[in-house]
Amino acid sequence: MITLNSGIENQAYSFEDIENILSRFDFMVGGNWEYDHAYFDHKLEQDDEAYAFIRIPVTTEIGTIGEKNAHVRVGKPFVLVHKYEANIDHQGDSGNIQATFNQFQAPEDPDAEVDEQYVKQAEDVMVKVERALLQ
């Protein structure tokens, strides 16, 4: 994980506004959100072995995530790489029922080394995000 310096850190927004603006830059609320915090994720690259993305954390100050009038404060953005094993099922013995519930493989390394190219890509995206959020 590599943290990014950003002018949006510690800024407060309505959740609806920040979600609308970040969606223009292909950020989506990650599936691991809770009622008091969430992460906006932007995929930088994905292949069979790794998934690199920018993550912008937010915590609620008023209301809860998902409420129309919720307000959030932005945390420190960072770049993260999840590294996966090349093969999901080495034994080949998953049944249909298990496959229905275990569609996604857990990362082999959830905090893999971040290549400098991803940091540069993330900084370029964050310049655009800052322009939109700080105007």
Side-chain angles (χ1 to χ4, degrees), residues 18 23 27 31 37 54 57 62 66-67 87 93-94 102 118-119 133:
I18 195 169
S23 69
F27 280 86
H37 69 276
I54 306 168
I62 298 172
E67 288 182 337
N87 297 316
D93 59 4
S94 294
N102 296 329
Y118 299 137
V119 175
L133 285 172

Side-chain angles (χ1 to χ4, degrees), residues 50-78:
Y51 181 100
F53 55 98
I54 306 168
R55 180 165 277 177
I56 300 175
V58 295
T59 55
T60 56
E61 293 197 332
I62 298 172
T64 61
I65 300 295
E67 288 182 337
K68 185 172 178 79
N69 296 323
H71 283 75
V72 296
R73 186 160 303 274
V74 178
K76 190 167 201 66
F78 55 95

Side-chain angles (χ1 to χ4, degrees), residues 2 4 6 8-11 13 15 18 21-23 25-30 32-33 37-42 53-59 65 72-80 122 125-130 133:
I2 302 287
L4 302 170
S6 174
I8 65 169
E9 183 181 355
N10 208 31
Q11 298 294 316
Y13 301 95
F15 185 78
I18 195 169
I21 291 169
L22 290 177
S23 69
F25 301 99
D26 298 324
F27 280 86
M28 297 174 52
V29 175
N32 54 350
W33 67 272
H37 69 276
Y39 298 96
F40 287 95
D41 292 341
H42 170 89
F53 55 98
I54 306 168
R55 180 165 277 177
I56 300 175
V58 295
T59 55
I65 300 295
V72 296
R73 186 160 303 274
V74 178
K76 190 167 201 66
F78 55 95
V79 182
L80 190 63
V125 171
M126 289 304 298
V127 166
K128 296 172 189 171
V129 166
E130 289 171 355
L133 285 172

